Amino acid sequence: MGLSICFDDIPKGRRNLITDVPGVLVGHATLSRGDVQTGVTAVLPHSGNIFQEKVPAAVHVINGFGKTAGSIQIQELGTLETPILLTNTLSVGDVSSALVRYMLEQNPDIGLTTGTVNPLVLECNDGELNDIRGQHVGEKEVRQALRCAAADFEEGAVGAGRGMVCCQMKGGIGSSSRVLCFGEKEYHVGALVLSNFGSLRDLVIAGRHVGPELAVSMDMEEDKGSIIVVLATDIPMSTRQLKRICKRASVGISRTGGHIGNGSGEIAAAFTTANRIPHYEKEDILPMAMLAEKNMNQVFRAVIGAVEEAVISSMFHAEPVTGRAGNFRDSLANWVRLDDFAPEAQR
């Protein structure tokens, strides 16, 4: 869980995962058989009925080469009403349909006595290692990821991250968290990434430009691919503030060497669990707490460090994978030792 490397001076959460935010759960379904190397990852903001108890949310498009489903309504209304699902690009439609059916089972009123539901599905292209044209992720995998969602979860080549490539190494799912104090109370900021971007020559780990050292043994490729960032917090925040922290995800990505390439789909989504918004509003005025603006810089720093660490964690935790057409991507852990970045080595 997480890494022992020091990326900043902000304390990490107990698990060093996005699930350090109380109530947040993550689950995976992984497909690994020959040319099929893919899956789905589910992020649940809480364990209750998310349609009935929505949470404030925001989405920010850093670079729009992507096929996200569900972002338009979130940008307009500022609420999340389903789990967030991550998968490969060509499975977005099937995963979205499966998520809709899951929500319909929980809510017999949807589409009849109330409005429809807005499923949020985010994606990256895993076609190098996965038979993406086969569209292998469907109802079974979505149900499995939702069913097994828990506070403890794996990172690396699992779930939606199974077929992803980062900086020419094996990429995938990475996560990290930070702890902040406001008014004598602890709050959490968590990040989860689906990493599928970058060139090895640009790779930076905790401020050390290791890419050129590793690149001498490998042909260089241009910065390509995508990254999805999911941010969670229990800090009371407005949707405007959530949008602002989404924008800072790009700084964390850049600190790992990412250049936000021309063909990169880079999307950040954020939510807070501090406020719940009932679907059936009984009052005309809803109470909503929000963080004082003077404290936003602390949150920005926490987001940047958590995103940076989550990217590197996705690579260190990923096992080597051989997939479609025999294509192979090695684990960063086979090229770089974590001990080289231990606190005493970083001084």
Side-chain angles (χ1 to χ4, degrees), residues 23-40:
V24 175
L25 305 172
V26 173
H28 303 299
T30 305
L31 295 175
S32 179
R33 52 177 189 269
D35 286 356
V36 179
Q37 303 291 331
T38 190
V40 60

Side-chain angles (χ1 to χ4, degrees), residues 161-312:
R162 181 64 191 176
M164 301 301 169
V165 176
C166 190
C167 296
Q168 301 177 237
M169 298 286 187
K170 188 66 196 71
I173 297 292
S175 191
S176 184
S177 69
R178 298 293 185 268
V179 178
L180 297 172
C181 290
F182 299 116
E184 300 183 356
K185 182 179 178 180
E186 281 192 351
Y187 293 93
H188 306 80
V189 174
L192 181 142
V193 305
L194 179 62
S195 67
N196 192 53
F197 71 99
S199 173
L200 181 60
R201 64 187 170 192
D202 300 320
L203 179 62
V204 177
I205 301 176
R208 178 178 159 192
H209 192 187
V210 301
E213 304 170 28
L214 306 179
V216 295
S217 303
M218 188 182 299
D219 293 335
M220 286 301 94
E221 299 175 1
E222 65 179 54
D223 186 343
K224 60 182 179 180
S226 303
I227 181 171
I228 299 299
V229 178
V230 178
L231 301 171
T233 185
D234 55 353
I235 302 170
M237 303 186 81
S238 68
T239 55
R240 176 184 56 78
Q241 291 174 323
L242 290 169
K243 180 89 166 183
R244 296 187 73 199
I245 68 172
C246 282
K247 294 178 180 179
R248 271 62 185 186
S250 62
V251 182
I253 297 167
S254 296
R255 281 171 55 164
T256 68
H259 289 165
I260 310 176
N262 174 65
S264 182
E266 307 205 349
I267 314 295
F271 62 86
T272 175
T273 62
N275 295 312
R276 300 285 179 91
I277 303 170
H279 180 72
Y280 293 106
E281 299 162 340
K282 297 179 180 179
E283 306 295 334
D284 291 332
I285 305 295
L286 298 178
M288 297 287 287
M290 62 176 284
L291 184 70
E293 292 291 321
K294 65 180 181 179
N295 296 316
M296 286 300 294
N297 278 343
Q298 296 180 61
V299 185
F300 293 158
R301 288 176 58 84
V303 165
I304 292 165
V307 171
E308 178 187 11
E309 180 172 359
V311 171
I312 303 303

Side-chain angles (χ1 to χ4, degrees), residues 38-57:
T38 190
V40 60
T41 294
V43 181
L44 282 65
H46 60 76
S47 59
N49 188 319
I50 304 169
F51 183 76
Q52 296 293 338
E53 292 186 283
K54 309 177 198 302
V55 295

Side-chain angles (χ1 to χ4, degrees), residues 9-33:
D9 58 359
I10 304 175
K12 301 179 183 184
R14 183 173 66 84
R15 297 183 183 89
N16 199 15
L17 295 172
I18 192 172
T19 49
D20 284 321
V21 178
V24 175
L25 305 172
V26 173
H28 303 299
T30 305
L31 295 175
S32 179
R33 52 177 189 269

Side-chain angles (χ1 to χ4, degrees), residues 131-150:
D131 170 31
I132 194 170
R133 289 173 60 91
Q135 297 176 276
H136 299 282
V137 180
E139 184 97 21
K140 178 182 176 181
E141 290 72 32
V142 168
R143 296 288 179 143
Q144 179 183 339
L146 291 166
R147 185 173 57 251
C148 73

